[in-house]
C-alpha cells in the first residue's frame, strides 16, 4: 500500500501562527522535517504540519498537568507521542485562534529562557 502524501499547511494558517509568535522575543520560524516550526534558542515552541490522514496539526509545550487535561478532553486535542510536555491540536477552519494564541504564548514561556519569558504578558 502506497504511503499517502502529507498535504502542505495552508499558507494562511502558517501566517496566523507566525503572527502570534513573531512578536515574542527571539522567536524564529524555519522549515521542519515536515511543516514549519517556531523556535527560541534551539527549543521548539510550536510545529504545524499536515498528516498522512490529510488533517493539520499544531504541537506545542504545556505544563505536565495541562498535557493530561488536554489528553482527556479528546478531539481536537491529543497527546503527542514524543516529549512528556507536548500537546497537539488538530486545526481547521473552525479552530479557536484566540485560544491557540494563548496556548502558543504559554508554550513560549515554558521553553524560553527566564529572562525572555519575563518580557511576555502571559495569559491568565
Amino acid at each position: 500500500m502506497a504511503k499517502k502524501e502529507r498535504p502542505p499547511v495552508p499558507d494562511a494558517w502558517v501566517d496566523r501562527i507566525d503572527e502570534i509568535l513573531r512578536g515574542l522575543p527571539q522567536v524564529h520560524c524555519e522549515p521542519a522535517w515536515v511543516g514549519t516550526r517556531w523556535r527560541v534558542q534551539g527549543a521548539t515552541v510550536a510545529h504545524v504540519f499536515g498528516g498522512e490522514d490529510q488533517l493539520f496539526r499544531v504541537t506545542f509545550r504545556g505544563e505536565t498537568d495541562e498535557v493530561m487535561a488536554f489528553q482527556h478532553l479528546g478531539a481536537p486535542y491529543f497527546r503527542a507521542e514524543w516529549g512528556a510536555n507536548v500537546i497537539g491540536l488538530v486545526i481547521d477552519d473552525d479552530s479557536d485562534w484566540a485560544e491557540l494564541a494563548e496556548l502558543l504564548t504559554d508554550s513560549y514561556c515554558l521553553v524560553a529562557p527566564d529572562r525572555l519569558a519575563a518580557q511576555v504578558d502571559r495569559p491568565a
Side-chain angles (χ1 to χ4, degrees):
M1 185 171 176
K3 195 173 184 179
K4 287 190 175 181
E5 292 290 318
R6 293 174 178 267
V9 178
D11 290 340
W13 293 354
V14 173
D15 291 345
R16 283 183 91 164
I17 295 169
D18 191 58
E19 186 176 322
I20 293 164
L21 294 172
R22 76 175 137 202
L24 300 174
Q26 297 185 22
V27 169
H28 69 277
C29 177
E30 64 186 27
W33 61 275
V34 62
T36 304
R37 66 183 176 189
W38 289 263
R39 298 176 61 119
V40 59
Q41 294 198 354
T44 299
V45 176
H47 179 195
V48 65
F49 57 94
E52 292 172 9
D53 58 3
Q54 309 305 296
L55 296 176
F56 300 98
R57 293 169 176 81
V58 60
T59 59
F60 48 90
R61 307 296 173 153
E63 300 281 357
T64 304
D65 57 337
E66 289 179 319
V67 174
M68 298 305 291
F70 281 112
Q71 180 180 0
H72 290 293
L73 281 175
Y77 296 98
F78 63 93
R79 180 165 182 199
E81 295 177 6
W82 61 93
N85 67 343
V86 181
I87 299 167
L89 171 64
V90 175
I91 57 174
D92 59 24
D93 289 327
D94 296 324
S95 292
D96 183 340
W97 288 91
E99 178 183 25
L100 182 57
E102 291 179 11
L103 294 169
L104 295 179
T105 302
D106 280 344
S107 178
Y108 172 86
C109 291
L110 288 172
V111 300
D114 291 342
R115 65 182 172 74
L116 296 178
Q119 299 174 36
V120 174
D121 289 329
R122 199 166 179 181

